[in-house]
Amino acid sequence: MNTPDRKLSPAEIESFGAELDALRARIVADLGEKDAKYIKNIVRTVRYTEVAGRGLLYAGMFPPAFVLGSVLLGFSKIVENMELGHNVMHAQYDWMNDPELNGQTYEWDTSCTSDNWRKTHNYEHHTYTNVMGKDHDIGYGVLRLYPEQKWEPRFLANPVMALILMTFFQHLLALQSLELERIVGAKSKEQRKTELARVKKDIKPIWKKMRKQLFKDYVFFPALAGPFFPIVFAGNVAANLMRNLWSSAVIYCGHFTEDAEVFPIESLENETRGHWYLRQMRGSSNFTGTKLMHIMSGNLSHQIEHHLFPDIPGRRYAEMSVEVRRICEKYGQHYNSAPMAKQFLGVWKRIFRGALPNKPTRFKAAPAANVERAEELVAA
Amino acid sequence: MSSPVTRPLRFLRRTLGPLVEPAVFDFWSRELGSTASRSRIQARVVAKRAESARAVTLELQPNRRFEGFLPGQHVNITVEIDGRRVTRSYSLTGVPREDDRLSLTVQQVEGGLVSGHLYTDCRVGDVVELGAAFGEMTLPEILPFKLLLLAAGSGVTPLMSLVRELAQRGMPVDTTLVYWARHRADLCFVPELKALAAREPKFNLRFALTGDAVTGTDELRGRPSRELLADVAPDLSERAVYACGPAGFVAEVELLARTQARSFQSEAFTPPVFAPVESQSEVTLMLAKSNRVVRVASGQPLLAALEAQGIKPPSGCRMGICNTCACGKRDGLTRNLKNGGENAEPESNLRICISSAQSDLTLDL
């Protein structure tokens, strides 16, 4: 565990926020043709690798073509989901006024409907990042990662559940907005009934999108191969699996690493912009890696910068991270960054630890908005 | 059109078309160098030529999505400048053609973003996006009155389209065009207009210059005045007047001609200047989708202001990060409350939770 963050006075928190605002303004003023070209090249990469991947799968009885085809298709799906879809839906490229890259209308190549995603992710997760009871991304309702989460017997299956979640990530993510665990946790018969009715209604658009994705990958394209249906089918399974494992690993590394923190709901009271920045930073973690890894992670390798500036094009996070790190050092705040393997290992430690009950734990982080109360908590 | 080649293509389009997402279709169409699109009007610049010392004419070949226009109408044209797509309205200067080809004339404007781009940077082969044609300043099928066309500067463009239509219809009524410009070198379409005047006895042409001395018999000097109008159109009460030019010019000729003329139609092309209102004053919000008009205080976040009026647009974080509340802004001046920046451009995604109105606005709500 790293040295604890320095306690900041309200004035310091304000100037901390002001410095980040200034950084943001500088980058926003510089957005232009380079960024537009970049995202158009990303679109091109996605489209060409998809065609190449699907094309190669039709020659899939020839093993190298099968492997290369699956990998290219998986790569295409990864880049589409991460660097293109996720980032475009954050309105990172809305300034281009391009209807094909519009944050509110873009629909991505995965089971989760873009509309649900915009609600659970853009709004809930990004506004209430790592706030217990508000941010459903803390374990997605099925994992226990933080000692502050209440233990239940079902969490004994934590490691198995984490693996299942990774394997079927696209479909389970699609179901996230349903919060199915609320049916399990219902206290009375009536409550269970209302929960079931809610799920039954909300599942309609999800099932529609899921069906479309399943049909496209597992019926339509394999059927075009005629007798080689099983080969193309298998290639699509492999590509989707590759995408599921990679994107879930990236996302696990963003908020579930060893040094990431969660916050009590009171931290939202009177939260200023500076406090909000501080919470985003403490709840997020970066990983280092090659340029290809950054692109394939949708630049969520710079999760800290992404959470501070969710609507700034991801390609800018690398240059912003230099400044963010400097600001963190200046204010004595820990900047959570490590190689991906190390961060991922830390995540699995949390997953195993979370399976077993522990003594009640106080929130490590002070309710951001109440510095004096934080001092009391620390003293206690 | 159904030659042996196009028939199978049409069959493919009908059967496979719906399976391909519009964005995917448009992508491959662009990659293959085509302007075909599933939903958008794209047009290729096929010719560019100087029309005056400060104006160029662009010829555009639109795709099948363009549904035609009437002479005198405009289109919105969208170009990409420094990664951003920017839209402006331009009058079409030609008449409808068999091959759908369009032309528009762009005058260079000091500091003009789109005009500067079209004048200088735009090349033959470039692709621009168009909107559907619109505008009311068109000629009726039956022309009961003589015409007086008053143009100033690039206000000549829609009137040129009308003149060309009249020429095509064999100049059915006596028509006079008075065309103002500061300098002779700024005048557009001069050879064509002079040739038409020489050929058509019913077409009278006068160039009015405000900055150069008069040399030709078809030239006048000075701004619009009662005397000038009496000189070019002593029979004003028998004429229908069409006027187009900067807002000041249009107001001026309206004052001179409206009461006497048979009818008076005009269009002013000067982009409205969104005068920032005083702080603490009220502005009018036009909610275009729900067809409502509300008055709110300027300077306060639009989302909160609308909610205070009982209107509940979708919203989320209320701090400008989640984009849930973003809606289109058609016109008006807004301020970003997070960084103080002001924007007078139309926007597709205005985050109303962190934007305030600095003038009257039209929103897609």
Side-chain angles (χ1 to χ4, degrees):
Chain A
M1 185 63 66
N2 286 277
T3 46
D5 298 325
R6 183 153 67 83
K7 291 274 170 296
L8 300 178
S9 69
E12 278 178 311
I13 292 175
E14 203 185 318
S15 64
F16 173 79
E19 290 202 35
L20 291 170
D21 276 339
L23 170 61
R24 177 198 163 78
R26 209 172 67 218
I27 298 293
V28 166
D30 190 47
L31 294 178
E33 192 163 6
K34 294 180 301 288
D35 306 271
K37 254 197 187 126
Y38 175 83
I39 198 67
K40 285 180 191 170
N41 278 331
I42 290 294
V43 172
R44 207 165 276 135
T45 306
V46 168
R47 303 264 186 256
Y48 275 96
T49 49
E50 183 183 1
V51 165
R54 293 205 186 277
L56 279 167
L57 283 180
Y58 291 112
M61 60 285 203
F62 180 54
F66 177 80
V67 173
L68 191 61
S70 309
V71 168
L72 275 175
L73 183 57
F75 176 82
S76 174
K77 281 175 178 282
I78 285 171
V79 177
E80 196 281 336
N81 287 180
M82 310 295 279
E83 185 71 329
L84 185 57
H86 169 266
N87 287 352
V88 163
M89 283 193 285
H90 267 296
Q92 291 184 359
Y93 296 93
D94 275 13
W95 53 271
M96 289 171 63
N97 280 322
D98 186 335
E100 285 174 18
L101 298 170
N102 181 312
Q104 283 192 327
T105 53
Y106 190 89
E107 190 66 50
W108 58 350
D109 180 16
T110 182
S111 289
C112 183
T113 69
S114 291
D115 283 337
N116 276 333
W117 178 257
R118 281 183 269 262
K119 178 168 172 283
T120 59
H121 180 83
N122 287 8
Y123 167 43
E124 292 171 1
H125 169 59
H126 272 272
T127 309
Y128 304 117
T129 310
N130 281 25
V131 173
M132 296 272 300
K134 288 292 259 182
D135 180 5
H136 195 254
D137 278 21
I138 306 177
Y140 304 99
V142 294
L143 297 179
R144 180 170 180 265
L145 298 154
Y146 290 91
E148 292 89 342
Q149 282 173 278
K150 192 173 158 277
W151 185 84
E152 292 168 43
R154 67 186 170 111
F155 292 126
L156 283 169
N158 233 17
V160 182
M161 210 57 197
L163 273 179
I164 293 175
L165 184 58
M166 288 185 76
T167 309
F168 300 100
F169 198 57
Q170 76 155 330
H171 298 296
L172 296 176
L173 203 64
L175 299 174
Q176 187 195 356
S177 64
L178 295 177
E179 301 188 23
L180 292 170
E181 72 278 3
R182 276 163 59 181
I183 302 174
V184 185
K187 301 239 158 44
S188 64
K189 233 180 176 174
E190 280 96 86
Q191 201 186 343
R192 180 160 305 168
K193 233 168 133 182
T194 28
E195 293 292 345
L196 272 171
R198 175 184 61 86
V199 167
K200 229 169 132 184
K201 180 173 140 285
D202 291 348
I203 204 167
K204 275 184 192 143
I206 299 173
W207 174 232
K208 196 175 158 206
K209 175 88 192 276
M210 244 186 210
R211 216 166 41 198
K212 187 183 158 200
Q213 291 297 117
L214 291 169
F215 175 79
K216 182 177 77 151
D217 284 345
Y218 299 137
V219 181
F220 179 75
F221 284 113
L224 287 183
F228 302 110
F229 184 100
I231 293 174
V232 176
F233 180 87
N236 276 276
V237 170
N240 276 320
L241 183 64
M242 180 177 145
R243 184 268 317 272
N244 288 352
L245 294 177
W246 170 258
S247 46
S248 56
V250 167
I251 287 160
Y252 283 11
C253 285
H255 298 290
F256 308 159
T257 56
E258 272 204 290
D259 289 346
E261 298 172 30
V262 284
F263 307 89
I265 203 154
E266 300 82 61
S267 66
L268 295 172
E269 285 168 25
N270 307 318
E271 195 180 51
T272 65
R273 186 148 179 87
H275 289 123
W276 182 82
Y277 272 137
L278 209 53
R279 175 161 60 78
Q280 295 301 328
M281 211 196 52
R282 290 180 180 171
S284 310
S285 48
N286 287 5
F287 62 80
T288 53
T290 61
K291 192 167 177 213
L292 184 66
M293 279 168 77
H294 290 311
I295 293 174
M296 286 179 68
S297 73
N299 277 297
L300 295 185
S301 47
H302 295 104
Q303 189 77 239
I304 296 175
E305 286 72 24
H306 175 56
H307 265 266
L308 297 174
F309 315 108
D311 58 348
I312 284 185
R315 71 178 286 267
R316 296 292 192 137
Y317 294 156
E319 63 175 295
M320 296 178 93
S321 70
V322 179
E323 186 75 356
V324 171
R325 195 187 273 267
R326 187 194 62 76
I327 295 170
C328 284
E329 265 166 31
K330 182 173 163 190
Y331 289 87
Q333 302 298 305
H334 174 50
Y335 185 86
N336 187 346
S337 180
M340 190 181 192
K342 187 166 173 244
Q343 296 287 43
F344 199 49
L345 193 73
V347 171
W348 278 96
K349 275 192 206 157
R350 273 199 186 279
I351 290 169
F352 277 97
R353 245 188 272 127
L356 298 171
N358 52 275
K359 275 193 234 155
T361 310
R362 272 229 170 77
F363 286 94
K364 175 175 165 278
N370 195 334
V371 180
E372 271 162 34
R373 222 182 111 215
E375 302 292 356
E376 285 165 29
L377 282 173
V378 171
Chain B
M1 278 291 278
S2 53
S3 74
V5 186
T6 55
R7 210 173 298 142
L9 275 180
R10 278 207 342 230
F11 173 77
L12 275 179
R13 195 155 52 212
R14 264 208 305 272
T15 48
L16 292 181
L19 288 175
V20 183
E21 306 266 343
V24 176
F25 177 91
D26 286 10
F27 171 82
W28 288 110
S29 159
R30 276 198 302 275
E31 288 293 288
L32 296 170
S34 160
T35 53
S37 166
R38 283 282 293 282
S39 56
R40 293 158 65 179
I41 308 170
Q42 312 271 7
R44 188 180 303 285
V45 179
V46 289
K48 183 178 182 179
R49 59 172 184 272
E51 197 65 71
S52 79
R54 295 196 298 127
V56 290
T57 289
L58 300 174
E59 282 194 17
L60 305 173
Q61 183 66 57
N63 65 10
R64 306 168 347 118
R65 303 283 155 211
F66 190 72
E67 288 178 341
F69 72 101
L70 297 171
Q73 287 192 309
H74 335 278
V75 289
N76 280 344
I77 172 165
T78 302
V79 293
E80 192 180 311
I81 301 169
D82 191 23
R84 289 169 174 78
R85 290 159 44 91
V86 195
T87 303
R88 292 285 185 278
S89 296
Y90 279 94
S91 299
L92 295 167
T93 47
V95 285
R97 288 163 49 131
E98 191 69 23
D99 61 4
D100 284 337
R101 192 172 280 195
L102 310 169
S103 60
L104 44 93
T105 298
V106 181
Q107 190 149 322
Q108 202 185 15
V109 182
E110 190 85 21
L113 186 64
V114 175
S115 61
H117 174 86
L118 291 174
Y119 185 83
T120 313
D121 304 325
C122 178
R123 306 239 175 284
V124 170
D126 284 4
V127 174
V128 298
E129 183 158 353
L130 301 179
F134 66 98
E136 307 295 320
M137 209 174 64
T138 55
L139 292 175
E141 234 164 273
I142 297 159
L143 289 161
F145 310 113
K146 295 191 270 187
L147 296 170
L148 175 62
L149 312 179
L150 304 173
S154 46
V156 74
T157 49
L159 298 182
M160 187 63 199
S161 181
L162 297 185
V163 167
R164 283 171 169 159
E165 184 197 358
L166 289 165
Q168 204 177 42
R169 286 163 69 172
M171 207 54 70
V173 290
D174 186 293
T175 302
T176 298
L177 168 68
V178 189
Y179 175 10
W180 275 266
R182 187 159 301 149
H183 303 292
R184 196 171 288 109
D186 297 340
L187 293 166
C188 297
F189 316 113
V190 174
E192 185 182 342
L193 286 171
K194 282 191 170 180
L196 185 65
R199 195 172 73 232
E200 284 286 356
K202 281 194 199 157
F203 181 63
N204 303 300
L205 170 69
R206 307 299 283 276
F207 296 115
L209 303 171
T210 55
D212 288 347
V214 170
T215 56
T217 51
D218 55 1
E219 289 181 349
L220 298 164
R221 198 181 147 86
R223 299 187 59 81
S225 67
R226 204 162 289 284
E227 296 71 43
L228 190 149
L229 277 194
D231 176 30
V232 296
D235 51 356
L236 184 59
S237 59
E238 296 163 33
R239 289 179 185 265
V241 176
Y242 287 74
C244 185
F249 167 84
V250 169
E252 214 174 333
V253 295
E254 178 164 9
L255 205 66
L256 292 172
R258 167 142 243 161
T259 48
Q260 275 190 63
R262 260 345 261 230
S263 66
F264 186 90
Q265 274 199 71
S266 68
E267 243 158 33
F269 61 73
T270 310
V273 178
F274 300 111
V277 293
E278 297 288 312
S279 53
Q280 303 305 322
S281 72
E282 277 203 333
V283 292
T284 302
L285 305 182
M286 292 276 309
L287 307 182
K289 278 190 184 159
S290 53
N291 207 7
R292 273 184 293 188
V293 179
V294 290
R295 300 273 299 161
V296 302
S298 70
Q300 76 177 115
L302 282 166
L303 177 61
L306 287 166
E307 285 173 343
Q309 302 269 341
I311 296 163
K312 298 262 185 292
S315 70
C317 68
R318 311 183 77 88
M319 56 187 293
I321 61 157
C322 78
N323 208 40
T324 308
C325 69
C327 74
K329 177 186 86 179
R330 299 194 187 173
D331 56 46
L333 181 72
T334 46
R335 174 177 292 151
N336 181 322
L337 296 169
K338 234 155 104 179
N339 59 26
E342 293 195 335
N343 189 4
E345 289 287 326
E347 274 181 82
S348 53
N349 288 9
L350 175 77
R351 283 174 234 181
I352 56 174
C353 66
I354 52 154
S355 302
S356 70
Q358 299 307 115
S359 75
D360 294 348
L361 302 180
T362 308
L363 299 174
D364 287 327
L365 278 175

